[in-house]
Amino acid sequence: MPRRETSEQEKRRNRVREAALDSIAERGQFNFRLDGADIKRLYGLAKKMKRPVSSMVREWVLDRLEKEEGKKVTSPAWARSMEQRIAELEKTLLMLVNELQSKKKF
């Protein structure tokens, strides 16, 4: 007869799972397997779209997560990512312009 897990064992197992998930999330990397033919299809599509495979797949996953969570998505993940990068670049450029202006007194 199989032993039943005690509540303490269950709590411990849950803590280990949470610690493992935190470690994976901290690294920011997630791996999964695909059939060889599917990998070739994926790389073929990325080449056709002139995009990095990892970026393309990341955007698909983020779009799907938002859809599954019921969030209203106004633009695709790649567009939101570009908007964020542009905002960061604008911030950096403004900081550099301010620094130049303070040094050279335009």
Side-chain angles (χ1 to χ4, degrees), residues 19-34:
L21 178 57
D22 289 344
S23 176
I24 291 168
E26 191 174 301
R27 282 195 314 269
Q29 186 174 354
F30 183 81
N31 299 314
F32 62 95
R33 297 183 189 280
L34 285 176

Side-chain angles (χ1 to χ4, degrees), residues 32-46:
F32 62 95
R33 297 183 189 280
L34 285 176
D35 180 83
D38 292 331
I39 290 171
K40 287 182 178 182
R41 291 173 51 212
L42 190 58
Y43 272 85
L45 181 60

Side-chain angles (χ1 to χ4, degrees), residues 36-53 56 60:
D38 292 331
I39 290 171
K40 287 182 178 182
R41 291 173 51 212
L42 190 58
Y43 272 85
L45 181 60
K47 183 177 181 180
K48 181 180 173 183
M49 296 176 71
K50 298 179 180 165
R51 310 251 350 264
V53 172
M56 191 173 68
W60 290 348

Side-chain angles (χ1 to χ4, degrees), residues 51-52 54-56 58-60 62-63 66 73-89:
R51 310 251 350 264
S54 59
S55 297
M56 191 173 68
R58 181 174 37 256
E59 290 162 7
W60 290 348
L62 293 174
D63 283 341
E66 289 181 356
V73 180
T74 55
S75 60
W78 67 266
R80 292 190 308 278
S81 175
M82 290 303 295
E83 290 168 355
Q84 184 178 10
R85 288 179 184 167
I86 289 169
E88 290 170 3
L89 285 171

Side-chain angles (χ1 to χ4, degrees), residues 7 12-13 28 33-34 39 49 54 61 64 71 74 85 98 101 104-105:
S7 64
R12 184 173 164 203
R13 186 180 307 266
R33 297 183 189 280
L34 285 176
I39 290 171
M49 296 176 71
S54 59
V61 170
R64 183 60 186 257
K71 294 181 180 175
T74 55
R85 288 179 184 167
N98 289 335
Q101 285 177 340
K104 299 210 177 188
K105 303 288 184 193

